[in-house]
Amino acid sequence: MTNRRGFLYSAFLSALGGPMSTRALAARAPGGLPAFPDDNDPEFWDQIRDQFYMPRGEAFFNTGTIGSVPRPVLEKVIEDMRTLEATVARWDYSDNTPNWISGYSPELPLRDKLGKLVNAEGKDIALTQNATFGSSFAANGLSLKPGDEVILTDREHPGAICAWQERAKKDRIVLKQVLIPTPANDPDQLVALFAKTITSRTCVLAFPHIISSSAVVLPARRLTELAHQHGCLAVVDGAQALGQIPVDLQDMGCDTYFASPHKWLLAPPGNGMFYIRRDQREKFRTTLCSFAWDDQTDGMYRFMQYGTGNRSLLTGLDAALDFHFRIGPARIYKRIRLLADRLRTGLQQIPRARIGSPVHPELASATVCHRVEGLPAAKLESELWTKKWIRVRSQGDQVGVRQSCQIYNSEAEIDATLEIVRSLAAHA
């Protein structure tokens, strides 16, 4: 990716022409990207906040829907798109020029880089456009017959369950749902709920690594082991996990895993990841096809044949991975969990405040769902925004609002949340 950008930059200067090229490019480039803070700076996280375009004074806690793209990541995308447009006539399909579009090429260096984050080889990962692509590939690519069972939870995201619903309608497979308690605070109970749902007809356990609506970190490794003990496949939706918690696909042992880097990894929307364990790959047909749909020589390459896409978005994914690795995954996970723990601890001290997400350390994440007894969740969402410019997302009155803590959030924003909740609880 770096060599490609260097090539395009040189080609762009040449296309603009002569000694004025550098000045012309500088005039077009957005100015003043903030310097990356020193690792030992006591105000490190406050300066990291400057890496984002959001105005100071507005607190964004809805990373569970979409992350805020860091300045250096977005600028790489903009630079790449501008350069592509300036040099498009130089694209001659030869090995001497990079590809100008996505949706057809292997992109192995980028897949290798993403693989380092999830402990998988690049050839075992396909780059798609979001987690829904991976869910659909898994559900539609697997050979199932009428009466075969697929077990899911009752809290699946539409992008994870709808493909299975389509299979049930078309092929008469049977979908069974495990009812996840709210709040969920017992890992053993969760595993037992899945275990008692399995029958001799069960072929697949499909579950989210982290439940989108109620922020439960399901015991993915244990559920995968349970699936394999019964001869079933483990299909895992990692849309909320990638970038929020450590993901080790080798340790988890799941058969497929799909994710959306545009959430917690802070990549531009239009990026997705789809993994199939190597020894299970032949069980999944290719269901979205272009010229290399049957290419078996490069692992997951056949699942990247989705037609012409925006090549610059992959530049953004590459830059987002660099940004994530520059800070350090472990450092990020520790920081956002610290913020969420601060919120959980504060809420537990407020009468009439209720936490709808787990507090059990194995099941809790950097996302907290909470409500005020007697107050609609939508009202709490509105009050947080109108009084303190804090953006959360309502998940319904049973669960409450979902507050996703990310590296662009602060202790002061957590405390401001608690101030509003405390006031509402006193008057509800």
Side-chain angles (χ1 to χ4, degrees):
M1 297 290 288
T2 302
N3 291 338
R4 173 179 179 271
R5 284 198 295 269
F7 170 88
L8 290 174
Y9 184 85
S10 300
F12 188 20
L13 296 182
S14 177
L16 291 174
M20 295 296 291
S21 299
T22 303
R23 290 199 297 273
L25 181 59
R28 297 184 183 203
L33 283 181
F36 206 90
D38 183 86
D39 286 347
N40 298 316
D41 192 326
E43 297 183 351
F44 178 86
W45 293 112
D46 185 62
Q47 293 186 42
I48 285 292
R49 178 62 174 80
D50 291 333
Q51 303 284 323
F52 297 87
Y53 280 98
M54 293 175 292
R56 290 278 190 167
E58 294 185 8
F60 182 65
F61 282 97
N62 193 23
T63 300
T65 296
I66 191 168
S68 177
V69 178
R71 287 174 180 264
V73 175
L74 184 57
E75 298 308 332
K76 288 286 178 61
V77 175
I78 294 171
E79 173 193 347
D80 201 65
M81 292 183 70
R82 181 184 292 118
T83 306
L84 288 175
E85 294 304 321
T87 60
V88 66
R90 296 169 178 262
W91 181 25
D92 62 2
Y93 294 89
S94 72
D95 292 338
N96 296 321
T97 58
N99 193 14
W100 258 247
I101 58 178
S102 64
Y104 299 97
S105 53
E107 310 293 348
L108 192 54
L110 179 53
R111 292 157 67 192
D112 285 337
K113 184 181 289 190
L114 181 55
K116 292 178 182 178
L117 184 62
V118 297
N119 191 19
E121 291 190 23
K123 287 191 174 184
D124 294 331
I125 294 172
L127 302 177
T128 62
Q129 293 194 16
N130 49 53
T132 303
F133 270 60
S135 173
S136 185
F137 286 154
N140 288 300
L142 190 62
S143 295
L144 296 170
K145 60 183 182 299
D148 286 347
E149 295 176 351
V150 175
I151 294 176
L152 307 106
T153 73
D154 65 328
R155 291 199 166 272
E156 299 294 328
H157 188 280
I161 195 173
C162 287
W164 294 112
Q165 291 172 334
E166 195 269 345
R167 282 297 305 268
K169 182 176 181 179
K170 181 180 66 174
D171 298 325
R172 303 196 307 279
I173 66 171
V174 176
L175 304 185
K176 301 170 71 175
Q177 292 185 317
V178 172
L179 303 182
I180 304 296
T182 301
N185 280 304
D186 186 344
D188 293 338
Q189 178 193 23
L190 293 175
V191 175
L193 289 172
F194 278 87
K196 76 176 185 179
T197 310
I198 296 175
T199 73
S200 60
R201 302 296 300 272
T202 305
C203 298
V204 177
L205 264 64
F207 57 89
H209 197 168
I210 300 179
I211 296 176
S212 176
S213 60
S214 57
V216 182
V217 181
L218 290 176
R221 180 179 178 181
R222 293 179 64 185
L223 292 177
T224 293
E225 291 172 349
L226 176 67
H228 292 169
Q229 288 166 9
H230 291 270
C232 305
L233 294 175
V235 175
V236 185
D237 171 8
Q240 292 291 335
L242 185 68
Q244 181 179 182
I245 62 173
V247 176
D248 186 330
L249 295 177
Q250 303 310 307
D251 180 71
M252 190 186 307
C254 62
D255 300 290
T256 77
Y257 195 94
F258 45 87
S260 291
H262 69 259
K263 296 181 184 288
W264 293 88
L265 197 56
L266 309 181
N271 284 296
M273 166 195 149
F274 179 44
Y275 161 89
I276 302 179
R277 207 176 76 187
R278 192 171 302 177
D279 61 350
Q280 300 293 342
R281 196 177 297 147
E282 292 183 359
K283 294 182 179 180
F284 295 86
R285 301 185 309 275
T286 311
T287 55
L288 179 60
C289 302
S290 190
F291 81 97
W293 70 273
D294 200 28
D295 187 331
Q296 305 292 331
T297 63
D298 174 13
M300 296 292 287
Y301 180 38
R302 60 191 170 100
F303 292 99
M304 296 173 58
Q305 306 300 302
Y306 56 77
T308 300
N310 186 340
R311 183 64 183 72
S312 298
L313 295 180
L314 294 182
T315 298
L317 174 58
D318 185 68
L321 284 164
D322 287 344
F323 187 82
H324 189 80
F325 285 127
R326 171 64 181 83
I327 298 175
R331 189 178 195 176
I332 290 172
Y333 305 145
K334 180 179 179 180
R335 168 64 178 176
I336 61 180
R337 179 61 181 263
L338 181 148
L339 293 174
D341 286 344
R342 186 186 187 98
L343 178 56
R344 276 186 283 265
T345 299
L347 290 168
Q348 289 171 322
Q349 298 170 5
I350 300 175
R352 305 189 72 177
R354 300 290 181 264
I355 299 177
S357 54
V359 296
H360 190 288
E362 291 181 28
L363 304 180
S365 67
T367 298
V368 182
C369 298
H370 60 94
R371 60 187 176 89
V372 173
E373 199 172 65
L375 188 74
K379 178 67 173 177
L380 176 56
E381 176 187 355
S382 174
E383 290 292 300
L384 285 168
W385 179 249
T386 57
K387 287 186 168 58
K388 291 290 185 178
W389 301 99
I390 294 171
R391 174 60 64 204
V392 297
R393 180 176 178 179
S394 171
Q395 295 294 324
D397 293 342
Q398 181 186 14
V399 175
V401 299
R402 184 183 68 187
Q403 190 156 357
S404 302
C405 302
Q406 184 48 288
I407 57 173
Y408 36 68
N409 298 125
S410 68
E411 290 88 348
E413 293 168 351
I414 298 295
D415 294 344
T417 298
L418 295 170
E419 178 186 337
I420 295 297
V421 172
R422 192 176 295 111
S423 175
L424 291 171
H427 299 93

